Amino acid sequence: MPLSPDQRDRILAAVAAGFDDQIAFTQELVRRPSTRTREGTSQDLVFDSLRARGLEMDRWQLDPQELAAHPGAGAVEVSYEGVENVVGTYRPAAETGRSLILNGHIDVVPEGPEDQWSGSPWNAEIRGGWLYGRGAGDMKAGLAAAIFAFDAVRNAGLSPTGRIHVQSVAEEECTGNGSLAALLRGYTADAVVIPEPEEDMLVRANVGVIWFRVRVAGHPTHPREMSSGFNAIDAAYYVLTRLRELEEEWNAEKGLHRYFEDLDHPINLNVGRISGGDWGSSVPAWCELDLRIALYPGTAPDDAWRAITQLLAGIGKDESGHPILATATRTGFYAEGYVLEEGSDAEDALRESHRQVFGEELKTFTTPGYLDGRVFVQYAGIPALVYGPVSEAIHGFDERVSIESVRRITQAIALFIAEWCGVEESADVCAHSLDSKTGGELPVLLGEHPVTIEETP
Ligand code: ZN
């Protein structure tokens, strides 16, 4: 049964009532740096707060061996000691509604040189309506939005009638193994919402990604007889130009890929790191490039990988006639892209929820970056709604998320939870959800913002 206008208004009011707490929780998450393999303290916070909500808790360490057997797993170059997923499960008394996964990743990318930030990446300052910090946008605000959206439904005096799993996963920024591990553990549902920073829009399609390292061999000599040596760093530049040709070849095919035709440059090859040589006065014997390349949905990682390794095997000689030995190894993502097929019930429900809050149609778009949505779509046939707030400079300096956008996204997700899972009036309304000043009657808050956020001076 669709929500009544009264139920809808109560949910929206409950989001507003919890919003100060939600932003404070988001700030606390940002203040706990969770770069790769250091997610522990952030996961502690999520675990404790989900447990305090009475959810059935699960926390486990990722198992590289179990993951390695799966074709969509990323290569692992770090120890997974202490790298854990957290899932909190809500089970209705009688499960009559549709089930839902609310998924967010807890890992953040490195902050880079801190002196390039206007403040500390870990202070979670609020300025001019934006919350700053590494992971603020990507995607601690989204993870918090999912948790507080779920709260709002219950604080509105409603009980979802479908099962809900709140997932906080690791490894989204490098392998996608966190969400994959949750799927392998048995978590499935009728739909998944992932509140990544997507500018108040829904992701229609996205690319797959492969991470790899190319090692180029040289021949070391003293620089006085440099011409008899072979400089691996110079050779690596040449290898890179050949890989750029492959990148352009793939971009030239964009017209063949639905939803990618209008993107300027959907396939990006990024050189993320370069290392090589041993010191300044020897012709370097080795050079390594850490690379990331995208692939269209429908292109199997195996096929893309074959194209890369065949190119390297056939690279032959550089422009000056030196034979080049270049080999590639996988270092992370080995992921296919996905398309969210149009017309799913889940998308329809989100469209309606979005319209209720934003007063306009939900827009969809194609993004040339990796998303964990592929785990659910590719390996479980679950429609993945990647939908979240406005952000700026994710992966850059002064990453920030729009607080007003977070508020609306939280309201839209709360309405979606209620619409999708179904609700019934609950006997035990949480007391703190009722505003005593209005004698238990909640104000209607569409378009109003009674929430005051304290700005950092
Ligand atoms: Zn993200």
Side-chain angles (χ1 to χ4, degrees):
M1 227 176 61
L3 292 175
S4 71
D6 167 62
Q7 289 174 329
R8 204 181 63 212
D9 291 344
R10 277 152 55 198
I11 291 170
L12 297 177
V15 170
F19 198 60
D20 281 353
D21 286 348
Q22 177 180 337
I23 293 299
F25 178 77
T26 310
Q27 287 178 296
E28 184 54 36
L29 275 181
V30 172
R31 288 180 186 129
R32 299 178 181 214
S34 52
T35 49
R36 193 180 191 190
T37 73
R38 296 178 186 87
E39 306 89 348
T41 59
S42 278
Q43 290 293 54
D44 288 344
L45 180 62
V46 174
F47 183 92
D48 291 345
S49 68
L50 294 181
R51 187 171 54 183
R53 286 162 167 81
L55 302 187
E56 178 187 311
M57 295 308 300
D58 187 13
R59 180 175 186 163
W60 75 98
Q61 185 169 306
L62 273 57
D63 177 353
Q65 271 162 7
E66 179 199 35
L67 285 158
H70 193 282
V76 182
E77 292 200 312
V78 299
S79 164
Y80 274 171
E81 188 66 42
V83 176
E84 295 174 335
N85 280 347
V86 168
V87 177
T89 295
Y90 162 85
R91 281 182 209 283
E95 195 176 331
T96 54
R98 291 176 289 205
S99 55
L100 178 64
I101 292 170
L102 298 169
N103 171 289
H105 65 83
I106 198 70
D107 56 318
V108 302
V109 301
E111 69 277 26
E114 206 168 314
D115 59 5
Q116 300 284 302
W117 289 68
S118 60
S120 162
W122 315 113
N123 272 359
E125 287 167 30
I126 293 172
R127 276 181 275 145
W130 297 85
L131 169 57
Y132 284 75
R134 174 58 82 235
D138 189 9
M139 62 168 286
K140 288 174 169 174
L143 178 59
I147 295 170
F148 281 77
F150 168 71
D151 283 353
V153 176
R154 299 207 299 174
N155 290 344
L158 301 167
S159 299
T161 54
R163 175 172 37 91
I164 298 171
H165 303 292
V166 182
Q167 302 184 336
S168 175
V169 302
E171 287 282 295
E172 192 274 349
E173 298 286 4
C174 44
T175 59
N177 286 349
S179 283
L180 190 58
L183 184 68
L184 293 174
R185 199 158 173 94
Y187 290 105
T188 62
D190 297 319
V192 56
V193 172
I194 308 180
E196 289 271 15
E198 304 297 0
E199 320 316 309
D200 296 339
M201 294 190 285
L202 173 67
V203 176
R204 171 65 65 209
N206 82 324
V207 293
V209 167
I210 294 179
W211 272 21
F212 61 109
R213 180 174 301 125
V214 171
R215 185 176 175 97
V216 182
H219 176 66
T221 58
H222 192 286
R224 68 186 178 182
E225 52 235 12
M226 196 173 80
S227 58
S228 69
F230 177 62
N231 186 316
I233 294 175
D234 287 341
Y237 277 100
Y238 177 72
V239 171
L240 191 56
T241 62
R242 299 296 308 278
L243 285 166
R244 291 270 177 228
E245 289 167 18
L246 183 67
E247 177 191 20
E248 288 326 303
E249 221 175 272
W250 288 359
N251 276 295
E253 294 166 4
K254 68 181 181 181
L256 306 173
H257 298 273
R258 193 169 51 129
Y259 304 119
F260 288 82
E261 306 92 334
D262 299 331
L263 263 62
D264 185 37
H265 198 267
I267 302 298
N268 290 322
L269 171 70
N270 184 56
V271 191
R273 190 160 62 177
I274 180 164
S275 44
D278 300 306
W279 70 337
S281 272
S282 294
V283 172
W286 63 280
C287 182
E288 288 181 345
L289 303 170
D290 280 14
L291 302 149
R292 169 269 192 208
I293 198 163
L295 39 147
Y296 299 106
T299 301
D302 280 350
D303 290 337
W305 186 238
R306 198 172 304 116
I308 291 165
T309 51
Q310 281 177 355
L311 180 146
L312 295 175
I315 213 157
K317 297 176 176 174
D318 71 3
E319 284 145 330
S320 59
H322 274 290
I324 293 179
L325 182 63
T327 52
T329 49
R330 288 166 43 193
T331 54
F333 286 121
Y334 199 68
E336 189 170 339
Y338 77 90
V339 169
L340 172 68
E341 293 301 338
E342 294 180 40
S344 67
D345 291 347
E347 181 176 336
D348 287 349
L350 184 65
R351 283 186 175 283
E352 184 53 32
S353 303
H354 180 87
R355 199 183 296 122
Q356 296 281 354
V357 173
F358 286 81
E360 55 187 49
E361 284 302 305
L362 176 61
K363 295 191 187 75
T364 60
F365 75 119
T366 299
T367 170
Y370 171 86
L371 292 170
D372 266 357
R374 62 103 193 186
V375 167
F376 302 93
V377 172
Q378 301 286 5
Y379 303 116
I382 301 171
L385 304 171
V386 181
Y387 166 78
V390 172
S391 71
E392 286 181 6
I394 60 168
H395 294 219
F397 303 128
D398 284 356
E399 174 178 350
R400 55 200 174 272
V401 67
S402 158
I403 289 172
E404 172 58 16
S405 169
V406 170
R407 187 184 65 82
R408 291 179 173 220
I409 287 287
T410 309
Q411 289 184 322
I413 293 174
L415 291 182
F416 174 81
I417 293 169
E419 286 283 0
W420 181 253
C421 299
V423 288
E424 54 191 18
E425 296 292 333
S426 67
D428 55 332
V429 181
C430 290
H432 73 266
S433 72
L434 296 175
D435 184 345
S436 55
K437 274 171 278 179
T438 58
E441 242 176 79
L442 294 164
V444 178
L445 292 169
L446 251 181
E448 283 182 60
H449 336 137
V451 170
T452 50
I453 300 296
E454 240 175 76
E455 302 251 337
T456 311

